[in-house]
Amino acid sequence: GQHCGLGGAGGPCNVQYLLEGVDWSKLIGWQKKIKFGVNAATFGFVQPIFVARDDISLGGYRSMVSRHLNGFADFGCTKEDWQFDEGIGCHMHVRRLNLWSHVDQGNVTVQGPGYTVSQNDASPVLGLNAGVLQYEPMHRGYGLPVVAGSNYTVVGDWRGDVVVEFSDARLADFFGEGTESLGLTVINGTSCSLTSHDPREYLDPLGLNGQSAGVQLEEKLSCLIQGVPLERDSPLMPAFDA
C-alpha cells in the first residue's frame, strides 16, 4: 500500500491490487516484481492483497498476501521468494473484509482461515497475523484479507453501529466466477452473509469521513453490527464539522 494510512495522499491499506498480463521480463535482476508497503503506515506492510486472473502476473497464483500473514501458509498457500517480496501465494481467492465505524471500537478480532497462528505483536504486524485489528482513524475502520467462500467470526466490544464490507462487484465480475460470498458470525452482535455485490453507498474515497457520513445506514446496508447505542454527549461520540 503506497502512502496508505498517511496524511495527504494516503488511502486505506486493506486494498486489492489487480494485476493483468504483467510482463516482468524487462526487470533488472535485483528488482522485485511486487512489494508490500512503500512509504506507508504499519498497516501497509501487512494488509494489501495482490490478485490476478492470468497465470503470469503472480506466477500462477490467484492471490498473494503479505509474508507477515503467516497463517495463510498453514492454509494451503505458499511463501514465495524475494522477487514477490516473500509474499504468500494462494490459488484461492483472497479478498478484503472491512469494518467501518465512526467510533473506535478498541481492538477487534477476526477468527477463521488464515488466522489460526500465534500472535506476533512486533511492528509492523501488531497482532494482525492472528486477526487482531486496530482502528485506523484516518478512514475510520478496520480491515484484513479473508478467503472468499469461507466463514469467519468477529469479536469486539461493540459501541455504536459498525458497517461490514466484503470485496467489491467489479473485481468479482472481472474474474467471471459469479458473486463472491463470505459468512460472518458476530459475537455480541448480528451475524450475516456478505457478498461482493452488496450495496455500499455509505462509502466514498474518504471512507466514512466524507459525504457518506450523512447517509442513512440502515437503509443501505446488507450487514450492520448493532452495538450499544451512544448518548449524544458521550465522549465516544465523534464530532463532525457542520
Side-chain angles (χ1 to χ4, degrees):
Q2 187 171 8
H3 305 308
C4 74
L6 302 179
C13 295
N14 192 36
V15 294
Q16 302 169 152
Y17 292 105
L18 173 62
L19 306 183
E20 174 68 6
V22 179
D23 180 5
W24 302 111
S25 63
K26 302 301 182 181
L27 288 178
I28 301 174
W30 52 265
Q31 290 180 316
K32 295 181 178 181
K33 295 178 179 178
I34 63 172
K35 182 172 176 58
F36 293 87
V38 179
N39 187 30
T42 56
F43 297 125
F45 294 85
V46 186
Q47 292 177 332
I49 312 160
F50 290 88
V51 299
R53 185 176 60 179
D54 62 78
D55 292 330
I56 301 174
S57 301
L58 287 176
Y61 295 111
R62 292 295 168 260
S63 313
M64 190 165 289
V65 300
S66 167
R67 66 184 183 275
H68 298 298
L69 296 179
N70 56 309
F72 280 83
D74 295 336
F75 191 66
C77 301
T78 305
K79 186 175 181 180
E80 284 297 307
D81 61 16
W82 64 271
Q83 296 182 80
F84 286 102
D85 203 22
E86 299 181 22
I88 300 174
C90 305
H91 292 292
M92 74 277 287
H93 295 307
V94 179
R95 300 291 185 259
R96 66 168 181 251
L97 175 69
N98 288 328
L99 290 82
W100 301 100
S101 172
H102 288 305
V103 177
D104 186 342
Q105 304 286 332
N107 286 358
V108 172
T109 302
V110 171
Q111 302 169 343
Y115 300 104
T116 57
V117 293
S118 298
Q119 184 172 327
N120 178 4
D121 290 321
S123 183
V125 187
L126 304 178
L128 283 169
N129 72 313
V132 179
L133 313 181
Q134 298 182 17
Y135 191 64
E136 200 270 82
M138 178 182 292
H139 301 90
R140 296 185 175 179
Y142 302 80
L144 208 60
V146 293
V147 179
S150 298
N151 294 298
Y152 287 82
T153 298
V154 60
V155 183
D157 182 17
W158 311 113
R159 298 166 290 180
D161 294 339
V162 179
V163 183
V164 185
E165 174 206 13
F166 166 68
S167 190
D168 65 68
R170 288 187 178 182
L171 188 63
D173 292 344
F174 177 81
F175 275 83
E177 298 179 15
T179 300
E180 298 171 343
S181 63
L182 191 82
L184 192 69
T185 299
V186 183
I187 304 300
N188 298 330
T190 303
S191 301
C192 45
S193 297
L194 298 157
T195 78
S196 53
H197 289 67
D198 290 338
R200 54 201 76 200
E201 288 91 339
Y202 56 89
L203 282 176
D204 68 14
L206 296 178
L208 290 184
N209 262 340
Q211 296 179 0
S212 59
V215 173
Q216 296 298 312
L217 295 180
E218 64 276 7
E219 298 178 1
K220 300 290 184 180
L221 300 179
S222 296
C223 184
L224 176 68
I225 300 174
Q226 295 181 310
V228 176
L230 298 177
E231 300 295 333
R232 184 172 295 275
D233 58 354
S234 168
L236 296 174
M237 181 66 73
F240 298 102
D241 295 332

